[in-house]
Amino acid sequence: MKPKLSPARRRLAAPSTKLLCLLIVMTLGSLAPVAAASTSPEEQQTWITLGADAFATIQQDIDVTLGHQPLTKFDERSDVVLTRVPTSDLADISAKIHTAHRRCGGFMAHSTLRQAQETLSRVDAPNRGAPIVYTLDQQPRVRQLASRIQEAPILATMTSLSTDFNNRYHAHPSGTSASQWIRNQWQGYAFSRPDVVVELVSHPGETSQPSVVLTIPGTTLPNEVIILGAHLDSIAGGTSNPDFLAPGADDDASGIAVLSEVIRVALAEGFSPQRTVSFMGYAAEEVGLVGSQAIAADYRAAGTNVVAVLQFDLAAFNGSTEDFGLLSDFTNSTLTTFVAQLIDTYQPDLLWTSTACGYGCSDHAAWHNQGYPTAMPTEARFGEHNQTIHSTSDTVATLGDSAAHAAKFARLGMAFMVEIGIDAGGEIFANDFEEGSTNGWSSIAP
Ligand code: BES
Ligand code: ZN
């Protein structure tokens, strides 16, 4: 699925979170050309994939299916169902799922049956395509770098992004200003690192908002790429007004702030991985994973060997007994297990649990759908996450003016980057490039 933004989407004002969810799904539905063969020729149908529980809910709902054929389950893999629904029912179905399962959207719409089947087959094969063995052998370096992570810069980034811009909506000038602000911040961190590249990546024909990418080139394995990402846009009701408020402090300034802190510490400490590491602030996630889908498709087309992708979306609201919810859908189970090991090893007092959105709820799904291994740690079990997202109340005040929870994700991100970025042979330091130098492993501070 590669959604395009319909003009109707931009015109619509969405006064409530619930309605906003509907509009997103309506857009996704209308974006899809709806080429699916129809049971009745005059009625447009859309292929969707959704959780088996959500399928059962809408199947039972006489209001939603009233006047239509009963829903057919065309396929099912790992509790994800493929079905076909009248396009005109998409909004009702979304509302039903939202009410019954507290999912916003709650399903993925697909342009063709083939795309729907591809999505389903990947759900069923989460281990396919783990291209390297993930090893845990960099403990001194991880501990040294993770100990430098601070809450204050994370809170500062969340505060700036959620208060210096009315919104970071993809189609408004403030959304582009936010991209530029992040680019400037990241350039500041890379000031003394000429090897590090910071760029705006535009998405012509898709959105006016650019994504932001910072790349630390790998020293000895530069063709093996690790990606840490978060989405930089925000959304809330009233998108037709360029000045509407969508602070998005948690969704997903928290993810950007986590990336920023990992970058800040890594570059300040002269970290130079063997594998290439890219940090990505994705544009236009809230309107259908637009930036990440464009980038992931480009990487696939170029044959880029992405060995691991980590997504941070919602990191600052401590809503569950456990500290991390590790998504089990649209992710790679080998990489997710490795992320759990990173938590157990480096933050042993913290708890994680497995959870699922039930649909491709964030940018990890864009990479997953291109066949790349992804993992996504999020702030809570799905449903116990911050309920103010997509509203004017998604502020740092709602997060208790604290980045304590988000700092756990920054430490995890650091561990992920170092452990996968460095092969067992060790790291070469940025300042160790003189002729004849060996790698800098022995110079690591305790
Ligand atoms: N931050 C959410 C995804 C999310 C929700 C993660 C709950 C963890 C718990 C994301 O920004 C979002 O809103 N996604 C959309 C779907 C997307 C394809 C437009 C959603 O959930 O409706
Ligand atoms: Zn969101």
Side-chain angles (χ1 to χ4, degrees), residues 155-347:
L155 184 60
T157 302
M158 290 196 294
T159 303
S160 293
L161 284 172
S162 59
T163 61
D164 292 355
F165 309 91
N166 286 331
N167 62 71
R168 305 187 300 281
Y169 188 58
H170 80 102
H172 287 337
S174 59
T176 297
S177 301
S179 298
Q180 291 163 346
W181 186 89
I182 294 164
R183 188 265 319 266
N184 294 345
Q185 288 288 113
W186 290 3
Q187 271 178 343
Y189 298 142
F191 181 69
S192 59
R193 286 287 296 263
D195 58 320
V196 173
V197 178
V198 187
E199 55 200 335
L200 293 176
V201 175
S202 59
H203 306 292
E206 309 260 355
T207 173
S208 52
Q209 183 175 52
S211 297
V212 184
V213 178
L214 179 146
T215 298
I216 314 176
T219 52
T220 60
L221 298 167
N223 295 330
E224 297 181 8
V225 178
I226 299 154
I227 292 166
L228 289 84
H231 69 89
L232 62 84
D233 63 319
S234 69
I235 200 166
T239 56
S240 57
N241 169 12
D243 295 329
F244 80 106
L245 292 181
D250 197 16
D251 190 10
D252 185 23
S254 67
I256 296 291
V258 164
L259 297 184
S260 298
E261 182 60 0
V262 176
I263 295 168
R264 184 188 73 77
V265 170
L267 298 185
E269 299 293 321
F271 178 71
S272 202
Q274 290 175 281
R275 297 191 168 97
T276 294
V277 178
S278 283
F279 295 85
M280 299 195 176
Y282 303 111
E285 184 267 1
E286 298 285 12
V287 289
L289 319 181
V290 173
S292 57
Q293 288 201 88
I295 294 175
D298 284 352
Y299 274 55
R300 174 52 70 205
T304 305
N305 184 15
V306 177
V307 299
V309 179
L310 192 66
Q311 173 73 359
F312 292 113
D313 191 355
L314 305 186
F317 180 82
N318 195 350
S320 292
T321 339
E322 298 84 5
D323 301 280
F324 300 95
L326 302 183
L327 289 197
S328 61
D329 54 351
F330 298 90
T331 53
N332 176 287
S333 67
T334 304
L335 188 60
T336 301
T337 301
F338 183 68
V339 167
Q341 287 174 335
L342 292 174
I343 296 168
D344 292 344
T345 303
Y346 294 114
Q347 303 188 78

Side-chain angles (χ1 to χ4, degrees), residues 1 25-26 28-29 46-51 54 58 85 89-95 97 103-110 357-360:
M1 178 178 66
V25 171
M26 287 167 74
L28 290 173
T46 296
W47 294 103
I48 64 170
T49 48
L50 75 175
I58 60 169
V85 297
D89 278 354
L90 284 170
D92 284 345
I93 290 168
S94 175
I97 296 173
R103 283 172 203 156
C104 184
F107 58 81
M108 288 179 83
H110 307 277
C357 282
Y359 57 103

Side-chain angles (χ1 to χ4, degrees), residues 121-144:
S121 68
R122 294 212 177 88
V123 169
D124 200 25
N127 288 314
R128 199 183 303 153
I132 59 166
V133 177
Y134 306 116
T135 54
L136 224 155
D137 49 26
Q138 301 297 320
Q139 298 210 10
R141 189 60 164 144
V142 171
R143 291 190 197 288
Q144 183 244 336

